[in-house]
Amino acid sequence: MNIIVPATSANLGPGFDALGLSISLFNRVSIEYSKFSSISINGEGSQNAFLKKNNLFVGIFNEIFTELTGKKETFRIVFDNQIPFSRGLGSSSAVIISAIASAYHMAGFKAQKNVILNKALIYENHPDNISPAVFGGFVSAVVQNGSVFFNKFILPDDIKAVVVIPDVPMSTNSSRSVLPKSYTIKECVNNLSHSSFLTACFASKNYDMLKTAAVDMMHEQRRMQTLPELFEVRKFAYENGALMSTLSGSGSTFLNIAYKDEAANLAKKLATKFDKFRVEIFDFDNDGFVIMQS
């Protein structure tokens, strides 16, 4: 079997731990029964020998496969990774979702998306990452009584993701450690109102209002201080046609949204201005993970 899982961009400014969307940048995993266990890694992480010995996918996959079947089997697993590690593009969520869905499929069960999503909460408690990885699109999600509840909106092909990816990782745990334990009423009201407005903009396809909606007072300012160039990325992106410019997840990637006809020009200007950073244009993904037979 083969499975592809998309990258995600979470938070989207004010939607801290609540809003996310799916990008057409994929990790692919191929799995087949084998006489001996083996792991091959292509792309991101291929030079990291540690990943073959301490692989998150393998640990989750084996745990769930044994839970479902009562058996231990050996597999040949090949990873083709396109999602950068520790850059705020949901690489961990992609691993978790692909491991769970693959285990269900290889155990002979239908990988029902709602089941996979809620199972993922055991390993990743941020619904803004796992929900779009499972279902695609723009997702507003909450966790209540141990289950994920979400609304999904389809993202059209007339907007594109223009992502700026620094060659500097940011771990979610380290990034979260700079955040305060409590917030002022002003900060809370700002994010409540702006995240609500941002969701309404995506629902109504009123993309011209995204810049107004995407104002955060809880996490971006604090996280971006560890890589001050990101402030200039956002300023420059808005000056050159970005509809929205936000820290992707906990960083270090910056997500810019632009109209289809303006994306190439924005990407070219960003690449020229920030020549040490990788700049890419991606479509948005509306499908989430997809399982295919080998």
Side-chain angles (χ1 to χ4, degrees), residues 263-278:
N265 183 56
L266 175 60
K268 181 179 179 180
K269 288 184 175 181
L270 284 166
T272 301
K273 177 74 172 178
F274 304 98
D275 57 359
K276 294 182 181 179
F277 296 164
R278 174 183 165 194

Side-chain angles (χ1 to χ4, degrees), residues 27 38-60 62 77-86 91-92 95:
N27 282 357
S38 67
I39 297 173
S40 298
I41 302 174
N42 304 312
E44 297 284 335
S46 60
Q47 304 302 314
N48 190 340
F50 179 81
L51 288 178
K52 291 188 177 182
K53 296 179 180 179
N54 296 274
N55 191 285
L56 177 63
F57 177 100
V58 174
I60 295 173
N62 286 336
I77 305 175
V78 179
F79 299 96
D80 290 294
N81 298 329
Q82 295 184 22
I83 305 172
F85 294 150
S86 299
S91 59
S92 295
V95 169

